[in-house]
Amino acid sequence: MDINQIAKMAGVSRATVSRYLNDGYVSQEKRAAIKRVIDKTGYVPSRQAKTLRTGKTDVVGVIIPKINSASVSRMVAGITPVLNDTGYQVLLANTDNDARREVDFMRLFAERRQVDGVILIATVFTPEHLDAIKGLNVPVVILDQNLPGYSSVHQDDYDALRDITALVLKEARRPAYIGVFEEDVSAGEMRHRGFTDACARAGVEVPDEAQVTAEFTVDSGYTCTEQVMQARPETDAIVCATDSIAYGALTYLREHGRRVPEDVQVTGVGDGELSQIVTPRLTTVHHHYKTSGAEAAKMLVGLMTGDDAIPREIKMGYELVVRASTR
């Protein structure tokens, strides 16, 4: 079944069917005739043919670092309704925290014109990343990082960590920090800097052995807490760059007879669902991940439709969620 057969069965011209399929003007009588034939035959227009004709795919590529991340899933939950409501389908590209795959997906999208736009939930910006972003022949929005010169939506990680560190320092003088690799500017560098600046402001010196780098996992949080507590058994607070790391810290401290928060305070970032049910319930930073995803999608739609041609930056707000893991 093709457009010529639809036209013949409906008793109209091929051009009339084409206008109908592309939301052009067609009289009510002819529109009803075409609809009856399409409903009867189940005809679906060829996406490839439409792409060749209009230059549009009605697909948006969303490059994500980790499909089972709580924060990423919330961002995607904000992205998809906005794009679906505006007629776009979402093509998810999962990189499993492999920075090279981020570059590969961007180059693939650029070479084959598979998408009308890209949302990159970014982790790092290597020279290869910057070249691939420049090579995209479609609009792009950077989510969860800030890249000057490009539209972006990102979290206020520096202020969030500065504030939550200041909170624990009201009752602690020997804090430790478990962060993530600092090539990730937002989650790594900015959160670590927020911690160290808050300590400096409070007149607290933190030795190097009390500042360690973990992966984004519970197991790594457990291992790094063991490393910190063996090197600095007097530690009375552990500020963690993510909730997952904090869950590992809580587990280690509980298994080794350290009371939280009486002996050691623990904080995270993310406010995932588990933070409300772990024991003790976790004090953390609530980032508005779902809203940031929706804002990124709206920004991209504006770029794709030509309504928003100037790159913009949105820095999201945050909330400190104080629970039972701090005093």
Side-chain angles (χ1 to χ4, degrees):
M1 183 63 61
D2 60 23
I3 190 171
N4 293 315
Q5 292 171 292
I6 295 295
K8 183 177 180 179
M9 293 174 67
V12 300
S13 70
R14 184 182 187 282
T16 301
V17 177
S18 179
R19 288 198 303 273
Y20 173 90
L21 294 174
N22 290 283
D23 297 323
Y25 173 76
V26 177
S27 70
Q28 289 293 349
E29 180 182 355
K30 292 181 179 180
R31 182 175 292 275
I34 296 169
K35 185 178 186 302
R36 281 196 299 270
V37 173
I38 289 176
D39 289 345
K40 180 179 179 180
T41 61
Y43 170 74
V44 177
S46 166
R47 178 172 293 277
Q48 291 83 358
K50 181 179 179 182
T51 299
L52 289 172
R53 185 174 63 254
T54 65
K56 293 184 60 181
T57 66
D58 294 332
V59 176
V60 167
V62 180
I63 302 174
I64 63 175
K66 193 175 181 182
I67 200 165
N68 61 345
S69 162
S71 59
V72 171
S73 66
R74 284 157 61 186
M75 284 185 270
V76 172
I79 291 169
T80 50
V82 174
L83 294 178
N84 290 339
D85 289 347
T86 50
Y88 291 95
Q89 296 183 10
V90 175
L91 176 62
L92 283 181
N94 177 36
T95 68
D96 285 323
N97 280 325
D98 186 337
R100 291 172 299 178
R101 287 188 183 179
E102 295 179 353
V103 174
D104 290 342
F105 278 125
M106 284 189 284
R107 288 176 176 165
L108 177 66
F109 291 156
E111 291 171 0
R112 300 188 181 180
R113 188 58 196 258
Q114 293 185 333
V115 298
D116 293 336
V118 172
I119 296 176
L120 170 62
I121 303 179
T123 53
V124 299
F125 293 119
T126 65
E128 291 76 17
H129 280 76
L130 299 178
D131 287 343
I133 292 171
K134 290 178 182 177
L136 285 170
N137 51 11
V138 296
V140 59
V141 171
I142 310 299
L143 179 54
D144 221 32
Q145 299 278 359
N146 180 31
L147 183 61
Y150 291 90
S151 293
S152 65
V153 182
H154 60 98
Q155 315 303 326
D156 188 358
D157 284 298
Y158 171 81
D159 287 330
L161 263 292
R162 185 194 61 192
D163 287 353
I164 203 165
T165 302
L167 173 71
V168 301
L169 290 178
K170 293 179 181 178
E171 299 289 339
R173 301 307 293 174
R174 296 175 295 279
Y177 180 75
I178 304 178
V180 295
F181 64 101
E182 297 202 7
E183 289 83 357
D184 183 331
V185 175
S186 293
E189 179 185 345
M190 300 308 293
R191 293 180 188 180
H192 192 189
R193 191 188 303 172
F195 168 82
T196 56
D197 285 358
C199 291
R201 186 175 299 181
V204 174
E205 292 187 11
V206 185
D208 290 342
E209 60 266 29
Q211 302 178 66
V212 299
T213 302
E215 298 178 2
F216 290 83
T217 66
V218 175
D219 287 345
S220 188
Y222 183 101
T223 301
C224 287
T225 302
E226 181 178 35
Q227 178 183 338
V228 166
M229 296 306 296
Q230 288 181 352
R232 306 285 297 182
E234 70 275 17
T235 296
D236 57 5
I238 301 177
V239 177
C240 302
T242 74
D243 282 354
S244 294
I245 293 171
Y247 302 151
L250 290 173
T251 302
Y252 175 87
L253 293 169
R254 181 172 61 250
E255 289 182 358
H256 290 79
R258 296 297 188 99
R259 299 171 301 164
V260 178
E262 293 85 356
D263 300 328
V264 185
Q265 300 181 78
V266 177
T267 67
V269 176
D271 194 24
E273 291 183 357
L274 288 178
S275 65
Q276 303 179 48
I277 60 175
V278 293
T279 303
R281 294 170 45 201
L282 182 66
T283 293
T284 184
V285 174
H286 180 86
H287 279 320
H288 299 282
Y289 288 121
K290 185 174 181 180
T291 303
S292 68
E295 290 296 329
K298 292 175 186 176
M299 193 179 287
L300 183 63
V301 170
L303 292 170
M304 291 188 297
T305 58
D307 295 335
D308 193 358
I310 300 175
R312 293 188 295 118
E313 172 196 349
I314 296 177
K315 181 188 287 188
M316 302 295 296
Y318 62 91
E319 300 171 26
L320 295 188
V321 183
V322 181
R323 298 194 179 105
S325 67
T326 52
R327 297 199 292 273

